[in-house]
Amino acid sequence: MDPDTVSQLTAAALARYIDHTLLKPQANQAALDVLCEEAIARGFKAACVNSGWVAYVAEKLKGTNIAVCSVIGFPLGAMSLSAKAFEARRAVEDGARELDMVLNIGALKSGDFKAVEQDVRAVRLEADRPVVLKVIIETCLLTDDEKARACEIAQYAGADFVKTSTGFSTGGATIEDVILMRKTVGPRMGVKASGGIKDFKTAAAMIAAGATRIGAGAGVAIVRGAVKLT
């Protein structure tokens, strides 16, 4: 989407790009209630939470068109394939309709691309479509070549999106990474920009660069920025 078109997005249209996110370990029930209330009020695409909160959030969002998104293998991606697969299966059983799994970063950096593919496939098998599968590649830890390879593997293994970051490592989304990821996967796969996106200007730049989803805890502030421009 070109920058001029993005800048003209209405608040309602922008909200449908946003996964409203709360992944802090200290997040309590009251904070999850607020997340759900904000998601409903603003019409966000999804509410993204840790897997232990999926059932609770799914009940809160029952009857709405807001998807429940669960992270899987978060935030390190370094647990066993079977552990990720189990977490994915349970999250779907609890009501998740989207999964954001962390790629096995150590395996990728070891050049064990078969293990990386098997990791993604294991989650995909437990969460068949229409469940949406996004693969977090943690761009801040990778070279450009590794980023491209991670995207290629995720695409080949059946993921629907590649995602920049957990927001829990050394850096978040950058325009350059979104452009690289979009170039690698082509026009048909989703690209989710996440990590450090806190205002409308940054979100709009990510969308203009090729992102089709924005992950942010600052969803309300982002949408308010769009309102100010209309």
Side-chain angles (χ1 to χ4, degrees):
M1 188 180 293
D2 65 82
D4 288 341
T5 302
V6 173
S7 67
Q8 295 170 17
L9 280 175
T10 65
L14 179 61
R16 298 305 292 168
Y17 280 85
I18 295 174
D19 290 353
H20 196 36
T21 303
L22 181 58
L23 299 170
K24 295 177 181 178
Q26 70 270 31
N28 59 15
Q29 192 175 91
L32 271 295
D33 289 344
V34 172
L35 183 84
C36 293
E37 290 163 5
E38 290 174 342
I40 293 168
R42 300 289 177 172
F44 292 129
K45 180 69 176 179
C48 186
V49 298
N50 285 297
S51 59
W53 285 107
V54 167
Y56 183 81
V57 170
E59 183 62 29
K60 286 284 181 178
L61 296 178
K62 189 175 181 179
T64 75
N65 66 345
I66 300 161
V68 180
C69 175
S70 176
V71 290
I72 302 295
F74 195 85
L76 302 179
M79 54 290 299
S80 69
L81 176 155
S82 58
K84 285 183 185 175
F86 179 85
E87 186 179 21
R89 180 168 70 251
R90 180 59 186 268
V92 172
E93 291 172 351
D94 284 348
R97 293 297 170 260
E98 301 195 356
L99 303 178
D100 286 18
M101 70 168 289
V102 185
L103 177 130
N104 190 326
I105 300 160
L108 180 76
K109 295 189 78 68
S110 298
D112 192 350
F113 305 132
K114 183 177 180 180
V116 177
E117 180 191 340
Q118 290 174 334
D119 193 55
V120 178
R121 284 193 185 280
V123 174
R124 177 82 279 177
L125 285 171
E126 296 295 344
D128 201 5
R129 294 183 177 91
V131 175
V132 173
L133 176 59
K134 314 186 197 96
V135 176
I136 306 171
I137 69 172
E138 202 69 284
T139 51
C140 62
L141 301 180
L142 306 179
T143 66
D144 283 354
D145 286 346
E146 288 168 341
K147 294 167 195 175
R149 181 58 67 94
C151 289
E152 290 166 353
I153 293 171
Q155 189 172 40
Y156 182 71
D160 301 295
F161 278 75
V162 285
K163 176 179 170 181
T164 60
S165 320
T166 62
F168 281 69
S169 189
T170 59
T174 69
I175 297 298
E176 293 77 15
D177 284 340
V178 171
I179 291 171
L180 184 154
M181 293 164 71
R182 173 53 66 203
K183 180 180 179 181
T184 302
V185 302
R188 296 184 181 180
M189 192 176 189
V191 174
K192 179 174 173 179
S194 182
I197 303 172
K198 298 181 179 180
D199 54 42
F200 171 77
K201 182 179 179 180
T202 305
M206 296 295 174
I207 295 169
T212 48
R213 196 77 69 89
I214 300 295
V220 173
I222 291 169
V223 171
R224 282 175 178 164
V227 170
K228 290 177 182 178
L229 296 179
T230 59

